[in-house]
Amino acid sequence: MSDCIFCKIVSGEIGASKVYEDKYTLAFLDINPVNKGHVLVIPKKHFDTVLDMPEDEGVALAKASVKVGKAVRKATNCEGINLLHNIGKAAGQLVFHAHVHLIPRFSHDSMRLGWDRKQYANSAEQEEFRKKVSEAVGK
Ligand code: 5GP
Ligand code: ZN
């Protein structure tokens, strides 16, 4: 994708602080880290989101993310890590080239996920959602 910023990083057209690469993936420092040592792991091939990736390429991305996640933990001495994908605009995705965030976390840092939890109205509604998702898995 010629206008994709992460494709340009893969091709070398734009620089990045690379920390790891293999045949399928590349990892580099996020330019605006939530905490220092915040890394992005991306597939070298362009996919808009991780949900557009074939399973084997997804596996390669997950393997690289675990490997680099361990390195981020070791290098930053963080107390935790948020490993997350923002998938779609509503979920906060700004760059539409699939990527995994590895964000080192500390007990008193400034990052807030702000989850506002809901409840199912009753067990029938819960079952309705279980059924819908479960049936969609096979399709
Ligand atoms: P998203 O909101 O799409 O999940 O996150 C995209 C991330 O890419 C952001 O955290 C942003 O700081 C990072 N980013 C955007 N442009 C560049 C860039 O040119 N270089 C690097 N290293 N990171 C970038
Ligand atoms: Zn791309």
Side-chain angles (χ1 to χ4, degrees), residues 1 3-8 43-47 96-98:
M1 289 261 296
D3 59 346
C4 170
I5 194 116
F6 288 176
C7 281
K8 286 181 181 168
K44 287 184 170 173
K45 210 163 135 187
H46 182 94
F47 300 97
F96 279 78
H97 179 126

Side-chain angles (χ1 to χ4, degrees), residues 110-126:
S110 60
M111 182 175 170
R112 297 287 172 267
L113 286 172
W115 289 6
D116 175 20
R117 302 293 188 134
K118 311 286 183 295
Q119 284 186 329
Y120 291 104
N122 48 45
S123 56
E125 191 191 42
Q126 183 169 332

Side-chain angles (χ1 to χ4, degrees), residues 6 19 24-30 37-44 47-51 53 57-70 72 81-87 93 95-104:
F6 288 176
V19 298
Y24 302 103
T25 65
L26 178 66
F28 51 88
L29 296 182
D30 192 297
H38 177 171
V39 167
L40 300 174
V41 189
I42 69 169
K44 287 184 170 173
F47 300 97
D48 284 357
T49 81
V50 287
L51 298 190
M53 297 179 72
E57 307 228 23
V59 168
L61 184 64
K63 278 172 89 171
S65 300
V66 169
K67 193 181 183 79
V68 179
K70 287 177 182 171
V72 167
I81 290 183
N82 281 112
L83 182 159
L84 55 92
H85 304 281
N86 294 328
I87 301 170
Q93 186 175 7
V95 176
F96 279 78
H97 179 126
H99 54 278
V100 178
H101 288 268
L102 291 167
I103 305 172

